Amino acid sequence: ICHIKELRKKNNLTQRQLAVLMETNEALISRWEKGQQYPTVPNAFKLAQVLNCKVDDFTPSNTYLLKLN
């Protein structure tokens, strides 16, 4: 479902490094990667920018996974 881990590794980032870039913590990055929680809409766009991809690259197109805030 979620390819955040693969995209993070493709960008040669650790969870800690991604957390710093996202201004969050490693635990949240881990939950995103495991599919236990999904990025909010603002975080999804920021994540796409940091990982040099599109939001669609880490969310399935047929499922609404982003939590609106």
Side-chain angles (χ1 to χ4, degrees):
I1 292 174
C2 199
H3 304 288
I4 295 172
K5 184 175 184 176
E6 291 85 2
L7 291 165
R8 173 179 60 78
K9 288 186 173 194
K10 181 179 175 183
N11 283 275
N12 298 311
L13 294 170
T14 65
Q15 284 185 345
R16 179 180 299 243
Q17 290 168 325
L18 181 56
V20 169
L21 292 170
M22 291 296 299
E23 300 177 9
T24 190
N25 58 63
E26 290 174 70
L28 183 59
I29 301 298
S30 177
R31 289 193 298 272
W32 290 348
E33 289 184 354
K34 293 176 183 175
Q36 295 172 341
Q37 190 172 344
Y38 299 100
T40 61
V41 171
N43 276 336
F45 284 99
K46 185 172 183 178
L47 187 61
Q49 182 179 21
V50 168
L51 295 177
N52 301 308
C53 66
K54 296 182 273 186
V55 172
D56 291 348
D57 292 339
F58 55 83
T59 58
S61 59
N62 63 347
T63 307
Y64 186 75
L65 296 176
L66 302 177
K67 185 176 96 181
L68 296 173
N69 277 346

